[in-house]
Amino acid sequence: MECSISRTNLNCISLGDPDTQKSVALLKQACLDSGFFYVVDHGISQELMDDVFAQSKKFFDLPINEKMELLRDEKNRGYTPMLDEILDPENQVNGDYKEGYYIGIEVPEDDPQANRPFYGPNQWPSDEVLPRWRKVMEQYHSEALRVAKSIARIIALALNLEEDFFDKPEMLGEPIATLRLLHYEGGQKTGKVSNPAKGVFGAGAHSDYGLITLLATDDVVGLQICKDRNAQPQVWEYVAPVKGGFIVNLGDMLERSTLHRVVLDGRERHSIAFFVEPSHDCVVECLPTCKSESNPPKFPPITCSAYLSQRYKETHADLTAYSSNKA
């Protein structure tokens, strides 16, 4: 059961503001409210942002058989078709009405690191089909990771930790960082307009399972957040796009993060998500400043690699379902 939907107001943090304490205060308040906030003045040029969206659109405009040749592999690199992901199985019919493309940190196949989950070579469209595509995506991946590390320093200060706490090799020094291009087809193509009452969503209700998510969107409204998942009825609020900026949210590794979903009015929508997680061997456990004898940890420790592998498995279709399509 839901009530009427309005727009939410989010704090806006400027990475160009020299007043660090102001940014820390804004982030603390955002975490108390929803875990979502805007980030602007991040240093990525508008030209690059526009280019990434244009290149993403070029890929999704390709025929489905060409996209399926780049179907995601066991490292979760490559194309994810419509309905591949189901984020809210209790309330969704079929799955998410979106297609996507995963790009991670490029690790050569002969590098020992490539044996780890989420590390390895990316899948790339050929230069003949999409010239400059790889160059643009790799540049954006690098720039987005720089922005995420800057945000992590503000998070560290907000948690009363040393500013470089998340810069350590076991944290974000050797991260699992994934760029995901997303495309929500318009209702005229799929015949589907989001309808929560009937279990039809662009993306089902979920919380992000990593550390930090940076989301860039076009100007089509679709993202909704629910600040209190236990409320009856649940109250969902739209998050307005911000031109040239990021919508940022903190994932489950930092807190029990806010439910969000994508509900569309039938218009086509493009967005670009960047997920940042700690290194494979990082032990995800309660931070030292967030526990005490009277407030012990609520969850047992687990390595980042094991945790992420399980969450991906829970939300994506089994790759064997596509074996005939890729033959």
Side-chain angles (χ1 to χ4, degrees), residues 203-226:
H206 65 287
S207 57
D208 287 353
Y209 24 86
L211 196 69
I212 303 169
T213 302
L214 310 183
L215 181 70
T217 75
D218 60 15
D219 58 1
V220 177
V221 174
L223 177 66
Q224 296 179 347
I225 64 174
C226 174

mmCIF file of all heavy atoms in Angstrom, residues 203-226:
data_model
loop_
_atom_site.group_PDB
_atom_site.id
_atom_site.type_symbol
_atom_site.label_atom_id
_atom_site.label_comp_id
_atom_site.label_asym_id
_atom_site.label_seq_id
_atom_site.Cartn_x
_atom_site.Cartn_y
_atom_site.Cartn_z
ATOM 1 N N ALA A 203 12.917 -0.344 -12.343
ATOM 2 C CA ALA A 203 13.799 -1.095 -11.443
ATOM 3 C C ALA A 203 13.057 -1.277 -10.128
ATOM 4 O O ALA A 203 12.524 -0.311 -9.566
ATOM 5 C CB ALA A 203 15.124 -0.363 -11.221
ATOM 6 N N GLY A 204 13.002 -2.514 -9.642
ATOM 7 C CA GLY A 204 12.283 -2.802 -8.411
ATOM 8 C C GLY A 204 12.938 -2.194 -7.190
ATOM 9 O O GLY A 204 14.114 -1.807 -7.204
ATOM 10 N N ALA A 205 12.181 -2.112 -6.107
ATOM 11 C CA ALA A 205 12.685 -1.522 -4.868
ATOM 12 C C ALA A 205 13.866 -2.331 -4.333
ATOM 13 O O ALA A 205 13.818 -3.552 -4.254
ATOM 14 C CB ALA A 205 11.568 -1.466 -3.832
ATOM 15 N N HIS A 206 14.936 -1.630 -3.973
ATOM 16 C CA HIS A 206 16.148 -2.286 -3.489
ATOM 17 C C HIS A 206 17.006 -1.269 -2.755
ATOM 18 O O HIS A 206 16.774 -0.064 -2.832
ATOM 19 C CB HIS A 206 16.949 -2.862 -4.666
ATOM 20 C CG HIS A 206 17.474 -1.817 -5.606
ATOM 21 N ND1 HIS A 206 16.655 -1.130 -6.482
ATOM 22 C CD2 HIS A 206 18.724 -1.308 -5.801
ATOM 23 C CE1 HIS A 206 17.370 -0.258 -7.176
ATOM 24 N NE2 HIS A 206 18.632 -0.343 -6.775
ATOM 25 N N SER A 207 17.996 -1.769 -2.050
ATOM 26 C CA SER A 207 19.048 -0.917 -1.514
ATOM 27 C C SER A 207 20.353 -1.346 -2.183
ATOM 28 O O SER A 207 20.522 -2.515 -2.524
ATOM 29 C CB SER A 207 19.141 -1.030 0.011
ATOM 30 O OG SER A 207 19.364 -2.372 0.398
ATOM 31 N N ASP A 208 21.253 -0.401 -2.412
ATOM 32 C CA ASP A 208 22.521 -0.749 -3.060
ATOM 33 C C ASP A 208 23.394 -1.507 -2.085
ATOM 34 O O ASP A 208 23.510 -1.139 -0.920
ATOM 35 C CB ASP A 208 23.238 0.514 -3.544
ATOM 36 C CG ASP A 208 22.558 1.117 -4.761
ATOM 37 O OD1 ASP A 208 21.624 0.485 -5.289
ATOM 38 O OD2 ASP A 208 22.959 2.216 -5.183
ATOM 39 N N TYR A 209 24.054 -2.577 -2.575
ATOM 40 C CA TYR A 209 24.741 -3.442 -1.639
ATOM 41 C C TYR A 209 26.193 -3.083 -1.394
ATOM 42 O O TYR A 209 26.869 -3.740 -0.622
ATOM 43 C CB TYR A 209 24.638 -4.916 -2.040
ATOM 44 C CG TYR A 209 24.393 -5.265 -3.478
ATOM 45 C CD1 TYR A 209 25.427 -5.379 -4.394
ATOM 46 C CD2 TYR A 209 23.092 -5.522 -3.920
ATOM 47 C CE1 TYR A 209 25.181 -5.742 -5.715
ATOM 48 C CE2 TYR A 209 22.834 -5.867 -5.227
ATOM 49 C CZ TYR A 209 23.881 -5.981 -6.130
ATOM 50 O OH TYR A 209 23.640 -6.324 -7.424
ATOM 51 N N GLY A 210 26.682 -2.025 -2.024
ATOM 52 C CA GLY A 210 28.088 -1.675 -1.855
ATOM 53 C C GLY A 210 28.323 -0.556 -0.865
ATOM 54 O O GLY A 210 27.631 -0.417 0.143
ATOM 55 N N LEU A 211 29.328 0.269 -1.181
ATOM 56 C CA LEU A 211 29.761 1.336 -0.278
ATOM 57 C C LEU A 211 29.168 2.677 -0.703
ATOM 58 O O LEU A 211 28.428 3.316 0.040
ATOM 59 C CB LEU A 211 31.293 1.403 -0.293
ATOM 60 C CG LEU A 211 31.972 2.171 0.835
ATOM 61 C CD1 LEU A 211 31.807 1.437 2.156
ATOM 62 C CD2 LEU A 211 33.462 2.366 0.529
ATOM 63 N N ILE A 212 29.493 3.109 -1.926
ATOM 64 C CA ILE A 212 29.043 4.402 -2.445
ATOM 65 C C ILE A 212 28.543 4.209 -3.876
ATOM 66 O O ILE A 212 29.178 3.502 -4.663
ATOM 67 C CB ILE A 212 30.209 5.424 -2.466
ATOM 68 C CG1 ILE A 212 30.820 5.614 -1.076
ATOM 69 C CG2 ILE A 212 29.735 6.769 -3.014
ATOM 70 C CD1 ILE A 212 32.122 6.396 -1.100
ATOM 71 N N THR A 213 27.438 4.844 -4.219
ATOM 72 C CA THR A 213 26.942 4.853 -5.597
ATOM 73 C C THR A 213 26.841 6.293 -6.087
ATOM 74 O O THR A 213 26.255 7.138 -5.415
ATOM 75 C CB THR A 213 25.548 4.205 -5.701
ATOM 76 O OG1 THR A 213 25.601 2.864 -5.219
ATOM 77 C CG2 THR A 213 25.064 4.195 -7.147
ATOM 78 N N LEU A 214 27.432 6.550 -7.259
ATOM 79 C CA LEU A 214 27.276 7.834 -7.941
ATOM 80 C C LEU A 214 26.332 7.610 -9.113
ATOM 81 O O LEU A 214 26.577 6.740 -9.946
ATOM 82 C CB LEU A 214 28.611 8.348 -8.488
ATOM 83 C CG LEU A 214 29.833 8.386 -7.579
ATOM 84 C CD1 LEU A 214 31.016 8.993 -8.334
ATOM 85 C CD2 LEU A 214 29.550 9.202 -6.334
ATOM 86 N N LEU A 215 25.277 8.394 -9.204
ATOM 87 C CA LEU A 215 24.315 8.236 -10.282
ATOM 88 C C LEU A 215 24.188 9.529 -11.061
ATOM 89 O O LEU A 215 23.858 10.578 -10.498
ATOM 90 C CB LEU A 215 22.940 7.834 -9.733
ATOM 91 C CG LEU A 215 21.845 7.620 -10.786
ATOM 92 C CD1 LEU A 215 22.118 6.351 -11.596
ATOM 93 C CD2 LEU A 215 20.474 7.550 -10.139
ATOM 94 N N ALA A 216 24.470 9.445 -12.367
ATOM 95 C CA ALA A 216 24.203 10.559 -13.280
ATOM 96 C C ALA A 216 22.983 10.165 -14.105
ATOM 97 O O ALA A 216 22.868 9.017 -14.542
ATOM 98 C CB ALA A 216 25.410 10.805 -14.180
ATOM 99 N N THR A 217 22.082 11.093 -14.319
ATOM 100 C CA THR A 217 20.861 10.776 -15.072
ATOM 101 C C THR A 217 20.618 11.820 -16.152
ATOM 102 O O THR A 217 21.181 12.924 -16.114
ATOM 103 C CB THR A 217 19.621 10.738 -14.153
ATOM 104 O OG1 THR A 217 19.251 12.078 -13.810
ATOM 105 C CG2 THR A 217 19.883 9.941 -12.887
ATOM 106 N N ASP A 218 19.767 11.452 -17.107
ATOM 107 C CA ASP A 218 19.289 12.461 -18.046
ATOM 108 C C ASP A 218 18.211 13.272 -17.334
ATOM 109 O O ASP A 218 18.091 13.217 -16.099
ATOM 110 C CB ASP A 218 18.801 11.819 -19.352
ATOM 111 C CG ASP A 218 17.637 10.837 -19.138
ATOM 112 O OD1 ASP A 218 17.014 10.849 -18.052
ATOM 113 O OD2 ASP A 218 17.354 10.051 -20.063
ATOM 114 N N ASP A 219 17.394 14.023 -18.082
ATOM 115 C CA ASP A 219 16.437 14.909 -17.418
ATOM 116 C C ASP A 219 15.060 14.286 -17.205
ATOM 117 O O ASP A 219 14.101 14.980 -16.843
ATOM 118 C CB ASP A 219 16.292 16.222 -18.207
ATOM 119 C CG ASP A 219 15.846 16.003 -19.652
ATOM 120 O OD1 ASP A 219 15.623 14.831 -20.040
ATOM 121 O OD2 ASP A 219 15.723 16.989 -20.398
ATOM 122 N N VAL A 220 14.960 12.958 -17.417
ATOM 123 C CA VAL A 220 13.682 12.269 -17.204
ATOM 124 C C VAL A 220 13.604 11.775 -15.758
ATOM 125 O O VAL A 220 14.435 10.989 -15.313
ATOM 126 C CB VAL A 220 13.519 11.081 -18.180
ATOM 127 C CG1 VAL A 220 12.211 10.334 -17.897
ATOM 128 C CG2 VAL A 220 13.540 11.579 -19.621
ATOM 129 N N VAL A 221 12.600 12.250 -15.040
ATOM 130 C CA VAL A 221 12.429 11.853 -13.636
ATOM 131 C C VAL A 221 12.013 10.382 -13.577
ATOM 132 O O VAL A 221 11.196 9.923 -14.374
ATOM 133 C CB VAL A 221 11.373 12.738 -12.955
ATOM 134 C CG1 VAL A 221 11.090 12.240 -11.539
ATOM 135 C CG2 VAL A 221 11.839 14.186 -12.914
ATOM 136 N N GLY A 222 12.574 9.633 -12.639
ATOM 137 C CA GLY A 222 12.198 8.231 -12.498
ATOM 138 C C GLY A 222 12.589 7.650 -11.153
ATOM 139 O O GLY A 222 11.891 6.792 -10.608
ATOM 140 N N LEU A 223 13.715 8.117 -10.592
ATOM 141 C CA LEU A 223 14.197 7.583 -9.317
ATOM 142 C C LEU A 223 13.297 8.025 -8.162
ATOM 143 O O LEU A 223 12.976 9.203 -8.028
ATOM 144 C CB LEU A 223 15.626 8.064 -9.064
ATOM 145 C CG LEU A 223 16.256 7.658 -7.722
ATOM 146 C CD1 LEU A 223 16.456 6.149 -7.642
ATOM 147 C CD2 LEU A 223 17.586 8.381 -7.505
ATOM 148 N N GLN A 224 12.900 7.036 -7.351
ATOM 149 C CA GLN A 224 12.125 7.313 -6.145
ATOM 150 C C GLN A 224 12.824 6.709 -4.934
ATOM 151 O O GLN A 224 13.463 5.657 -5.044
ATOM 152 C CB GLN A 224 10.722 6.707 -6.237
ATOM 153 C CG GLN A 224 9.844 7.275 -7.326
ATOM 154 C CD GLN A 224 8.474 6.601 -7.363
ATOM 155 O OE1 GLN A 224 8.272 5.561 -6.741
ATOM 156 N NE2 GLN A 224 7.535 7.192 -8.089
ATOM 157 N N ILE A 225 12.707 7.368 -3.783
ATOM 158 C CA ILE A 225 13.260 6.817 -2.549
ATOM 159 C C ILE A 225 12.168 6.700 -1.493
ATOM 160 O O ILE A 225 11.185 7.434 -1.508
ATOM 161 C CB ILE A 225 14.435 7.671 -1.996
ATOM 162 C CG1 ILE A 225 13.962 9.083 -1.596
ATOM 163 C CG2 ILE A 225 15.562 7.743 -3.013
ATOM 164 C CD1 ILE A 225 15.052 9.904 -0.911
ATOM 165 N N CYS A 226 12.375 5.735 -0.598
ATOM 166 C CA CYS A 226 11.457 5.519 0.526
ATOM 167 C C CYS A 226 12.287 5.625 1.804
ATOM 168 O O CYS A 226 13.088 4.743 2.105
ATOM 169 C CB CYS A 226 10.805 4.146 0.414
ATOM 170 S SG CYS A 226 9.776 3.684 1.819
#
